[in-house]
Amino acid sequence: MVSGQSQEQLAALLDPATTVLLTVECQQGVVGPGSALPELARVARSSGALGNIARLVAAAHGSGAQVMHAVAESRPDGRGANRNARLFRAAGRLPVQQHTGTTAVRIAPPIEVAEEDLVVRRLHGLSPLAGTDVDALLRNLGCRTLVVTGVSANVAIPNAVFDAVNLGYTAVVPSDAIAGVPADYTPAMIRNTLALVATITTTDAVLGGWKAPRRRNGPASTPG
């Protein structure tokens, strides 16, 4: 499924020179075997989302598109972390903590991190973009299209998509490369929310876009 886009249009949108693939919270302590959120980890794996993210990352490496990994973590002393929502308070009581420097905040297999990948870590908030280095890095990279993958479809993914659109980027969401809980929530959220602001597609369509030949029309400007 490609919402409002032909495969040719999608390929043009996904020009590796101006596209960044973002993985959101694809870390051991969230989607790995020892996850703090085992239900989310199970859905991410059983749905095929994590495997599809790994395929997209590998293809981005091969095509020359930049890969960026957004990691949520915390200091052991909790300094700088939010406490102004139920979600944050609940996270502080989980048996697995996303502490800086621990295995929990390493990118989870089967995703492979290349030397040229950028890893952006945040100590606060709900969004990979708001209040982080991501926007500045994207602009310096000449990014126009942000491909958003990862977890969760409940919170961080819609935050990332809304922030990307508000900042002037075109958001592309492979529907089979994100996951949330319960499993049937994700397609409903995509259909009723993300489809209004992002190009909804599939992993295979993105992979096809990165294989398609394209014409160069000179350098593109970054979002306003």
Side-chain angles (χ1 to χ4, degrees), residues 83-133:
R83 295 179 178 83
N84 57 335
R86 176 183 172 191
L87 176 64
F88 301 123
R89 295 190 291 272
R93 296 191 295 268
L94 292 172
V96 177
Q97 292 295 303
Q98 315 297 319
H99 285 163
T100 301
T102 66
T103 301
V105 296
R106 296 177 185 168
I107 301 301
I111 299 168
E112 295 188 1
V113 181
E115 185 177 355
E116 65 268 22
D117 292 2
L118 295 172
V119 180
V120 180
R121 304 177 183 277
R122 77 178 195 274
L123 295 173
H124 63 86
L126 300 170
S127 170
L129 275 73
T132 73
D133 292 336

Side-chain angles (χ1 to χ4, degrees), residues 153-167:
N154 305 76
V155 178
I157 295 298
N159 264 268
V161 171
F162 294 151
D163 286 346
V165 172
N166 285 333
L167 289 167

Side-chain angles (χ1 to χ4, degrees), residues 19-132:
T19 297
V20 173
L21 172 66
L22 180 70
T23 77
V24 178
E25 296 182 28
C26 293
Q27 56 204 73
Q28 296 268 27
V30 176
V31 296
S35 171
L37 303 163
E39 183 183 0
L40 178 59
R42 281 195 298 272
V43 172
R45 290 178 178 274
S46 65
S47 67
L50 196 60
N52 285 331
I53 296 166
R55 293 171 62 208
L56 288 164
V57 168
H61 291 156
S63 73
Q66 178 67 51
V67 177
M68 187 179 295
H69 305 281
V71 174
E73 58 184 49
S74 62
R75 289 168 49 113
D77 61 11
R79 288 181 184 273
N82 289 67
R83 295 179 178 83
N84 57 335
R86 176 183 172 191
L87 176 64
F88 301 123
R89 295 190 291 272
R93 296 191 295 268
L94 292 172
V96 177
Q97 292 295 303
Q98 315 297 319
H99 285 163
T100 301
T102 66
T103 301
V105 296
R106 296 177 185 168
I107 301 301
I111 299 168
E112 295 188 1
V113 181
E115 185 177 355
E116 65 268 22
D117 292 2
L118 295 172
V119 180
V120 180
R121 304 177 183 277
R122 77 178 195 274
L123 295 173
H124 63 86
L126 300 170
S127 170
L129 275 73
T132 73

